[in-house]
Amino acid sequence: MSVITFEDYTAAIKGQYEEVKSGIYSSFLLNPTPAQLRNLCLLILDNGLSKVDEGIFTLFFQVKQGENLRRSIENFDIEKFKAIKNFLIGKNGKTNPNNLNLIAVLVDFQPRPFSKFIHQGPMDLNKFSNEISINKEEIVNTISQQNSFPDNRTVNLKRSKRRSIAVAISIVGMALGGYGVKKEFFPDKECMQWNNDHYEEVVCEGSEIGFASINPIFDKDESLFQLKKIEVSDTTTFFKNDQPIVWYSKRDGKCEFFNAPGLHPESRKTLRPVSKYIIKKYVLTVN
């Protein structure tokens, strides 16, 4: 019987992330940002938490007795999600137990939390060690191939390498010069803002943007550019394989419809999957 460790818990959750990141929450997990991870927490909260998961959320978001959990998540320091992002994208292979338990909720890994995981009984650790062995073997083979040239090619290879380095340095120098000019006169659009029915890239210093006073500016998140507000009618396809492909949110007694899950760009309320009742009441009855 193998002794289960925190490293096993870490590897198992990372494996679960790789499996589900392209699934239903792909807009949050495929290219995660701190803002998207916070929004996913709100979405999962709105969908309902078990007592165990509520405890994980309460501990991570440092919710005091009597405080509202949703309010605590909304006001939480978003910078603290960077450690979770770095773990998911592989920039950092380790993170603390509170972070890991929250990630387990986000990727729906079971059993969770770690205290429950270590009591699950015998565990097959081979699949994790096999992955490491395969990566090591690939690296060794690559190095062996690079070092297998005959001696008479070694000198030419070194000369070619020196020329490549010199050319690269020149290119980098020119690129940096151009980059400075570009940054001065054409600043990068590293933020985004909702404009009518879609997100647009904007310069983060957006005090002179026409609609800045109406819609807030966020850090750019490529995954959110697919979110669109759509017009629907009695001919719209709302379901595919009996699963909703349209989401909605109510505002001022009316429904606004979107092509993907997430948060409403203006009210920040969780978008809900469309239902036959909503279609009948807000689509089919409209003249």
Side-chain angles (χ1 to χ4, degrees):
M1 179 184 298
S2 300
V3 177
I4 299 175
T5 66
F6 185 72
E7 284 70 26
D8 301 329
Y9 188 52
T10 301
I13 290 177
K14 188 61 184 294
Q16 174 78 355
Y17 166 72
E18 295 298 333
E19 290 184 10
V20 305
K21 67 181 181 181
S22 299
I24 187 173
Y25 292 141
S26 60
S27 59
F28 300 94
L29 295 174
L30 202 54
N31 295 296
T33 66
Q36 280 298 88
L37 293 172
R38 187 270 314 278
N39 292 345
L40 180 54
C41 288
L42 290 171
L43 180 60
I44 292 175
L45 172 65
D46 290 342
N47 288 338
L49 292 176
S50 67
K51 287 295 182 181
V52 171
D53 291 348
E54 184 177 348
I56 292 174
F57 270 48
T58 299
L59 189 60
F60 179 84
F61 292 106
Q62 303 173 6
V63 183
K64 297 179 181 178
Q65 187 174 5
E67 287 185 344
N68 179 272
L69 179 54
R70 176 175 245 280
R71 184 73 58 84
S72 297
I73 297 174
E74 292 174 339
N75 296 333
F76 193 69
D77 182 4
I78 202 169
E79 292 297 311
K80 294 184 179 180
F81 281 99
K82 283 188 175 180
I84 293 179
K85 169 195 170 182
N86 290 338
F87 174 80
L88 293 177
I89 66 177
K91 190 174 182 179
N92 191 340
K94 296 182 179 180
T95 190
N96 66 55
N98 285 343
N99 288 352
L100 209 54
N101 285 333
L102 182 73
I103 296 170
V105 178
L106 300 184
V107 301
D108 195 23
F109 173 80
Q110 292 286 5
R112 62 178 183 260
F114 177 62
S115 58
K116 186 176 181 180
F117 178 81
I118 61 176
H119 292 103
Q120 68 173 339
M123 179 182 180
D124 180 11
L125 305 180
N126 290 332
K127 68 175 182 177
F128 302 117
S129 60
N130 286 343
E131 292 178 0
I132 297 174
S133 298
I134 291 173
N135 291 336
K136 287 182 178 178
E137 184 177 353
E138 290 177 352
I139 294 172
V140 171
N141 288 339
T142 301
I143 295 175
S144 298
Q145 291 173 4
Q146 292 177 343
N147 293 333
S148 62
F149 295 119
D151 292 340
N152 60 355
R153 294 180 57 187
T154 302
V155 175
N156 291 334
L157 184 61
K158 290 181 178 179
R159 290 174 179 172
S160 176
K161 184 176 181 180
R162 285 196 295 268
R163 285 197 296 269
S164 298
I165 293 174
V167 172
I169 292 174
S170 300
I171 293 175
V172 170
M174 291 186 290
L176 288 176
Y179 178 77
V181 174
K182 178 184 176 184
K183 290 290 287 186
E184 180 69 24
F185 296 101
F186 304 100
D188 290 338
K189 295 181 178 181
E190 296 180 346
C191 288
M192 65 183 190
Q193 188 174 44
W194 183 255
N195 183 15
N196 189 32
D197 60 357
H198 66 284
Y199 279 108
E200 289 185 350
E201 293 181 271
V202 297
V203 177
C204 295
E205 293 77 11
S207 58
E208 298 181 359
I209 299 176
F211 46 93
S213 59
I214 301 175
N215 297 329
I217 294 176
F218 303 98
D219 290 337
K220 186 168 68 175
D221 186 339
E222 296 291 347
S223 65
L224 280 181
F225 287 111
Q226 66 179 339
L227 181 67
K228 302 286 191 300
K229 185 165 72 172
I230 59 175
E231 298 293 332
V232 299
S233 67
D234 56 355
T235 60
T236 300
T237 300
F238 291 94
F239 301 92
K240 185 176 182 180
N241 297 326
D242 294 326
Q243 296 297 318
I245 57 175
V246 175
W247 285 259
Y248 76 94
S249 180
K250 293 182 182 179
R251 295 186 74 192
D252 301 324
K254 297 181 180 180
C255 269
E256 294 179 328
F257 296 90
F258 296 81
N259 66 339
L263 299 181
H264 190 286
E266 295 169 343
S267 70
R268 310 308 293 167
K269 292 182 178 179
T270 302
L271 300 177
R272 299 188 177 279
V274 74
S275 65
K276 293 181 179 179
Y277 169 79
I278 291 295
I279 296 172
K280 182 178 180 180
K281 183 174 181 179
Y282 292 97
V283 180
L284 301 183
T285 57
V286 176
N287 295 326

